[in-house]
Amino acid sequence: MSETTTAPNGSVAGRLSLVDRFLAVWILAAMAAGLGLGRLVPGLGDALAKVTVTGVSLPIALGLLVMMYPVLAKVRYDRLDTVTRDKRLLIPSLVINWILGPAVMFALAWVFLPDLPEYRTGLIIVGLARCIAMVLIWNDLACGDREAAAVLVALNSVFQVIAFAGLGWFYLSVLPGWLGLEQATLDVSVWEIARSVLVFLGIPLVAGFATRRLGEKARGRDWYETKLIPRIGPFALYGLLFTIVVLFALQGDAITSQPLDVVRIAVPLLVYFAVMWAGSMALGKTVGLDYPRATTLAFTAAGNNFELAIAVAIATFGATSGQALAGVVGPLIEVPVLIGLVYVALAAARRYFPGSQPLQAPAAGVEEGSARV
């Protein structure tokens, strides 16, 4: 994927390349292809699920690693200190992700699914798994701050290891008991969570950092950003589309055979993504963040770590459980909704953040107007 910028005049979305302008189409096509394969090829989902890494299909794991590596290779790690000093970004992000996010999903799950405990539990698990993977893609597409995204993702990873199991116990056992609601349990170890974080974030993060460090040392930053990055950039999109195809192939039969259940699960998810994204974007503007960092705050708040949620649901309740299905429906809704919010963010940039440069300047030698993905 490549870089983009915007001239003083004209809309951002209008300057996207043909591929990026219709990115939602490619993603929806990938989702349809996965669902079709899962429905039409007998045993495909079972075959993909048998080879696993931390409870997640190995093909999905490979797709996620390919997807995340180019984005993390683009991060300018020497600028991370400017993010870690920005308390207007860090404090709201921690509060939104680890206090408000799980609470909002808990409330929505009980409001919309009071009679479906398996799906409700699955949604609560999704709400506890804060995003450490695809948010990098959405943030990059919306021209958010890459360095800020890297820092917030790292913070989410640390808190995920420390807090996930405790929050699961609180929201599934303690809080329902206090409120006189039906209780559930979540038996997941800290090591299972840490292992997932190490695989899905640690590997591409180390690879991306090493690539930039060695590449700049050997050939300089200009060569790295004008020659190497344009070559490896497209693999993020390839990895994303591959991951989506495999993900939906795994549960294609379950999703297409239970459409009404999928709709019931989808409604609270739609509300969740809209509330979390819009509320976080508004908060970012209120506390004085510029467009790139407000956008990063919004997408890191709205996204969820579906690979961890699915892994936990499968390990705890089984691959064919309602909890696992709810985890799979998460990205079914999240992917098109957050792609739509990318376009909303780009279109709103000039109107709501007139004093801030919404997009990073293109790397030297990259044609202006090509999409930065």
Side-chain angles (χ1 to χ4, degrees), residues 284-336:
K285 179 175 174 59
T286 300
V287 300
L289 295 178
D290 59 11
Y291 170 82
R293 292 196 174 179
T295 297
T296 299
L297 178 66
F299 280 98
T300 51
N304 291 90
N305 186 355
F306 69 83
E307 59 272 18
L308 175 61
I310 292 171
V312 169
I314 290 174
T316 306
F317 302 102
T320 60
S321 65
Q323 291 88 344
L325 178 60
V328 171
V329 173
L332 173 70
I333 305 304
E334 176 177 334
V335 170

Side-chain angles (χ1 to χ4, degrees), residues 13 25 36 38 112 145 150 153 183 193 208 214 223 231 238 252 339 353:
V25 175
F112 286 96
D145 189 314
V153 162
Q183 299 182 54
I193 301 163
L214 296 175
W223 171 85
R231 291 178 184 175
Y238 305 153
I339 279 292
F353 294 87

Side-chain angles (χ1 to χ4, degrees), residues 236-319:
L237 177 58
Y238 305 153
L240 173 64
L241 296 178
F242 175 78
T243 301
I244 291 170
V245 170
V246 175
L247 179 66
F248 290 104
L250 273 167
Q251 289 276 354
D253 185 66
I255 291 173
T256 54
S257 63
Q258 303 177 64
L260 293 180
D261 287 356
V262 170
V263 172
R264 288 287 304 273
I265 298 168
V267 172
L269 283 168
L270 287 169
V271 176
Y272 174 83
F273 293 132
V275 168
M276 293 297 292
W277 187 90
S280 300
M281 183 68 92
L283 177 61
K285 179 175 174 59
T286 300
V287 300
L289 295 178
D290 59 11
Y291 170 82
R293 292 196 174 179
T295 297
T296 299
L297 178 66
F299 280 98
T300 51
N304 291 90
N305 186 355
F306 69 83
E307 59 272 18
L308 175 61
I310 292 171
V312 169
I314 290 174
T316 306
F317 302 102

Side-chain angles (χ1 to χ4, degrees), residues 326-368:
V328 171
V329 173
L332 173 70
I333 305 304
E334 176 177 334
V335 170
V337 168
L338 292 192
I339 279 292
L341 290 174
V342 166
Y343 289 95
V344 172
L346 293 173
R350 293 180 62 83
R351 179 175 180 179
Y352 295 104
F353 294 87
S356 135
Q357 175 60 270
L359 305 180
Q360 299 177 17
V366 178
E367 181 181 357
E368 182 170 302

Side-chain angles (χ1 to χ4, degrees), residues 212-225:
R212 177 171 282 277
R213 185 70 178 268
L214 296 175
E216 289 188 355
K217 185 176 181 180
R219 304 291 293 273
R221 175 163 288 186
D222 183 67
W223 171 85
Y224 183 86
E225 295 191 343

Side-chain angles (χ1 to χ4, degrees), residues 47-365:
L48 290 172
K50 284 181 179 178
V51 184
T52 64
V53 175
T54 68
V56 176
S57 162
L58 180 58
I60 289 180
L62 293 175
L64 287 169
L65 296 179
V66 171
M67 177 190 77
M68 293 174 66
Y69 163 67
V71 179
L72 289 167
K74 293 177 183 179
V75 172
R76 291 183 175 178
Y77 293 92
D78 55 347
R79 295 183 178 178
L80 294 184
D81 61 327
T82 65
V83 180
T84 57
R85 293 196 301 263
D86 191 350
K87 293 183 174 59
R88 295 176 304 170
L89 175 67
L90 297 183
I91 294 175
S93 178
L94 290 174
V95 171
I96 291 170
N97 273 289
W98 296 102
I99 297 178
L100 296 181
V104 169
M105 187 68 90
F106 174 86
L108 291 173
W110 273 99
V111 168
F112 286 96
L113 302 171
D115 57 329
L116 296 171
E118 289 190 357
Y119 298 152
R120 185 177 64 239
T121 298
L123 279 188
I124 293 172
I125 293 173
V126 170
L128 298 176
R130 311 313 299 168
C131 198
I132 64 169
M134 279 193 177
V135 68
L136 297 172
I137 293 288
W138 313 139
N139 180 73
D140 221 38
L141 285 169
C143 303
D145 189 314
R146 285 179 185 149
E147 289 69 41
V151 170
L152 296 186
V153 162
L155 278 176
N156 276 349
S157 301
V158 172
F159 272 80
Q160 207 144 245
V161 173
I162 296 172
F164 185 92
L167 286 174
W169 169 73
F170 176 76
Y171 279 104
L172 293 176
S173 298
V174 177
L175 186 57
W178 289 352
L179 300 176
L181 303 172
E182 181 181 343
Q183 299 182 54
T185 59
L186 182 63
D187 183 18
V188 56
S189 72
V190 171
W191 167 238
E192 288 177 301
I193 301 163
R195 185 174 54 188
S196 177
V197 170
L198 287 172
V199 170
F200 294 116
L201 178 64
I203 293 175
L205 180 61
V206 170
F209 176 81
T211 301
R212 177 171 282 277
R213 185 70 178 268
L214 296 175
E216 289 188 355
K217 185 176 181 180
R219 304 291 293 273
R221 175 163 288 186
D222 183 67
W223 171 85
Y224 183 86
E225 295 191 343
T226 63
K227 301 296 184 182
L228 183 60
I229 287 298
R231 291 178 184 175
I232 65 176
F235 285 93
L237 177 58
Y238 305 153
L240 173 64
L241 296 178
F242 175 78
T243 301
I244 291 170
V245 170
V246 175
L247 179 66
F248 290 104
L250 273 167
Q251 289 276 354
D253 185 66
I255 291 173
T256 54
S257 63
Q258 303 177 64
L260 293 180
D261 287 356
V262 170
V263 172
R264 288 287 304 273
I265 298 168
V267 172
L269 283 168
L270 287 169
V271 176
Y272 174 83
F273 293 132
V275 168
M276 293 297 292
W277 187 90
S280 300
M281 183 68 92
L283 177 61
K285 179 175 174 59
T286 300
V287 300
L289 295 178
D290 59 11
Y291 170 82
R293 292 196 174 179
T295 297
T296 299
L297 178 66
F299 280 98
T300 51
N304 291 90
N305 186 355
F306 69 83
E307 59 272 18
L308 175 61
I310 292 171
V312 169
I314 290 174
T316 306
F317 302 102
T320 60
S321 65
Q323 291 88 344
L325 178 60
V328 171
V329 173
L332 173 70
I333 305 304
E334 176 177 334
V335 170
V337 168
L338 292 192
I339 279 292
L341 290 174
V342 166
Y343 289 95
V344 172
L346 293 173
R350 293 180 62 83
R351 179 175 180 179
Y352 295 104
F353 294 87
S356 135
Q357 175 60 270
L359 305 180
Q360 299 177 17

